[in-house]
Amino acid sequence: MSSETYDSTSSGFGTPGKVWLGTLVVLVAAGLLAWAYQLSEGLIVTGMNNVFSWGLYIMLFVFFVGLSAGGLIISSVPKFFHSDRYDSFATLGVLLSFASIVVAGLLILPDLGRPLRAVGFLLSPDFRSPMVWDFGIVLVYGLFSAVYLWLLTRRDLAARGSRLAFGVEDTEAGRERDKKLSFWAAAVAIPLAVALHSITGWIFALQIGRGDWFSPLVAPMFIMKALVSGLALLLVVAILADRYTSFELPRSQVTELAKVLGIFVAVHIVYLLAAERLPHAWADSFGFWSITSGFLVGDSIYFWLWTLVGGVIPLALLAVPSLRRRLWAVFTASVFAIVGILFEGVNLIFTGYDQLNIDAAPGVTTGTDYAGFGSDVWATTGSYTPTIVELLISLGLVALGALIVTLGVKYLPMQPSESLSRTSRETPEATGAVADGGTGTDDATESTQ
């Protein structure tokens, strides 16, 4: 482990850490300027139109809701079953969940065009709309994640004398009481996280006019996406934190969680994908190859980025025991799994709008683009490309989430007060070999199991 970027025991950041923070701040500022420009000019500066009413903002909203829900579920399940085995990951998982839901919630505002429209969800909600339920649960979930994070860290904050403890004292009785409270918090967190992403999935599943979305399997697939992306993000951030901060990564638990990630990816890609696509393929044709190609062959590059990059490659890396014990393999598989889930969202929304539910000429007007052209264009199919404004706003919000995680890892106690024994970690030689590309021997890694 190296602490050259920043060390949570020191008062400040090192030079690389300051560069990282500066980059994030610049991206956040660029996002704010782009949003100010969008507010002054309107949604016309985006690539959305009458055909594509949802674009990059909603796609990323779905993605970050999944990251948040998955992270909270993964962190809460052990606590619900009174196990402290994965406590080293619990606080980090809740921090990632909180940061992700902040990003997801804020992504709603630029998509609305005028932020004050969000007040309508509170003052005059129409409870027949799943949008209202989704907006409400995002607010409740965000507040709960913040309280849950404080519950997991407040005793250690009190031990440090931090003001963030808000008067809580570090006592043995208090720690025992917090363990019981953590169980009840987990009992609330798990169904809340499931409800969060299920309701998001139902927004799509209830669109009867769009055959690609109208399916009872959308919500279960959203939950599986959350588990894959949430666990993958937790592993990626934990490995990076172990490399660049004082966070101590229990190597044997990484291998165990990598197995779980492989199972999640297999269920999501191998089973649920076939379960969703096969009935549609069967209904379209009764020929063997037509049915087979209907659910195995995608209709866009997004499909292959989702299934091949985000499914086959992670499974290949995680299915081999000797690879699963190497950090570089787990890190790579996790990154690819996240990329796959990201492009599943692209496939869901961008291709979902390609075909209009009005297929007769002249179709619908596509409206004007940000340059003022296209007012007389009518079409029965659509196209969408995010503009630089959308990209800058989205990057700014993602940078804000990364900033929350960075400061959280720096200033919050990420692990239980009983520090992990250094003997449970790999030797410096093995660690360095893994960081340099995994040239260390299997024996060095197995010694930590």
Side-chain angles (χ1 to χ4, degrees):
M1 176 188 65
S2 168
S3 58
E4 61 181 3
T5 301
Y6 57 89
D7 186 347
S8 64
T9 62
S10 64
S11 58
F13 290 83
T15 300
K18 291 178 181 178
V19 172
W20 169 247
L21 286 176
T23 302
L24 295 179
V25 170
V26 169
L27 288 174
V28 171
L32 286 173
L33 290 175
W35 189 28
Y37 176 71
Q38 179 183 301
L39 288 174
S40 65
E41 300 296 323
L43 286 174
I44 196 172
V45 300
T46 71
M48 293 181 285
N49 50 51
N50 289 344
V51 178
F52 277 80
S53 56
W54 289 345
L56 184 63
Y57 300 142
I58 295 301
M59 188 274 290
L60 289 177
F61 166 78
V62 173
F63 177 66
F64 276 94
V65 165
L67 288 174
S68 183
L72 198 66
I73 292 172
I74 296 300
S75 301
S76 300
V77 166
K79 292 188 174 297
F80 180 75
F81 289 101
H82 302 284
S83 172
D84 58 0
R85 177 164 177 74
Y86 296 101
D87 277 0
S88 295
F89 294 94
T91 304
L92 180 60
V94 177
L95 173 64
L96 292 172
S97 177
F98 172 71
S100 296
I101 201 62
V102 169
V103 175
L106 292 177
L107 279 164
I108 296 175
L109 299 181
D111 185 73
L112 289 175
R114 289 180 290 177
L116 289 179
R117 289 174 174 170
V119 177
F121 285 103
L122 300 174
L123 299 182
S124 56
D126 183 354
F127 292 106
R128 296 171 299 176
S129 170
M131 298 282 193
V132 171
W133 290 97
D134 202 42
F135 182 83
I137 199 169
V138 166
L139 288 178
V140 172
Y141 183 94
L143 293 173
F144 176 82
S145 297
V147 174
Y148 194 8
L149 181 61
W150 179 69
L151 173 65
L152 294 179
T153 58
R154 62 181 184 174
R155 300 296 171 181
D156 290 326
L157 288 170
R160 294 181 179 184
S162 172
R163 294 179 179 178
L164 295 176
F166 298 114
V168 172
E169 297 181 355
D170 180 29
T171 63
E172 189 64 32
R175 287 183 179 271
E176 289 299 319
R177 186 162 57 251
D178 279 1
K179 284 185 179 181
K180 296 179 181 179
L181 289 175
S182 296
F183 163 79
W184 291 109
V188 174
I190 295 171
L192 185 64
V194 171
L196 172 71
H197 215 31
S198 294
I199 292 175
T200 305
W202 288 330
I203 291 176
F204 292 88
L206 296 176
Q207 303 299 316
I208 191 171
R210 298 193 179 275
D212 288 343
W213 295 348
F214 186 59
S215 168
L217 286 178
V218 174
M221 288 194 71
F222 268 43
I223 295 301
M224 215 59 230
K225 286 198 300 183
L227 294 175
V228 171
S229 60
L231 178 54
L233 180 65
L234 178 58
L235 287 170
V236 167
V237 175
I239 291 172
L240 291 175
D242 176 78
R243 177 66 178 85
Y244 294 107
T245 78
S246 60
F247 181 87
E248 298 184 4
L249 187 66
R251 298 294 195 265
S252 62
Q253 293 179 16
V254 172
T255 303
E256 294 169 4
L257 291 176
K259 292 179 184 178
V260 176
L261 178 60
I263 294 171
F264 287 165
V265 172
V267 172
H268 179 50
I269 296 297
V270 178
Y271 175 70
L272 284 179
L273 174 62
E276 181 188 46
R277 293 178 67 90
L278 181 58
H280 292 286
W282 191 283
D284 289 340
S285 174
F286 291 102
F288 174 78
W289 172 243
S290 297
I291 295 172
T292 304
S293 62
F295 74 93
L296 287 182
V297 180
D299 50 5
S300 70
I301 186 62
Y302 309 135
F303 177 84
W304 293 108
L305 288 171
W306 162 31
T307 56
L308 181 61
V309 175
V312 175
I313 295 178
L315 275 177
L317 290 171
L318 298 175
V320 181
S322 60
L323 289 177
R324 199 167 54 235
R325 289 192 291 266
R326 294 174 178 267
L327 285 189
W328 71 264
V330 175
F331 184 87
T332 303
S334 299
V335 170
F336 279 18
I338 294 171
V339 170
I341 296 300
L342 176 66
F343 278 98
E344 183 183 359
V346 175
N347 181 73
L348 177 76
I349 294 179
F350 290 7
T351 62
Y353 272 117
D354 275 344
Q355 300 298 322
L356 297 177
N357 51 13
I358 302 176
D359 57 2
V364 299
T365 177
T366 58
T368 58
D369 60 17
Y370 63 93
F373 297 103
S375 59
D376 296 326
V377 175
W378 290 70
T380 56
T381 61
S383 62
Y384 167 78
T385 302
T387 65
I388 187 65
V389 173
E390 292 172 277
L391 292 172
L392 286 175
I393 292 174
S394 300
L395 280 175
L397 289 174
V398 173
L400 176 63
L403 190 61
I404 292 173
V405 173
T406 301
L407 296 177
V409 172
K410 169 69 177 178
Y411 294 111
L412 294 177
M414 286 291 102
Q415 294 180 297
S417 57
E418 300 80 17
S419 297
L420 298 172
S421 172
R422 300 294 289 183
T423 59
S424 68
R425 300 165 54 79
E426 292 180 345
T427 62
E429 292 80 10
T431 304
V434 169
D436 291 337
T439 58
T441 64
D442 290 342
D443 293 337
T445 310
E446 289 173 351
S447 64
T448 67
Q449 305 303 308

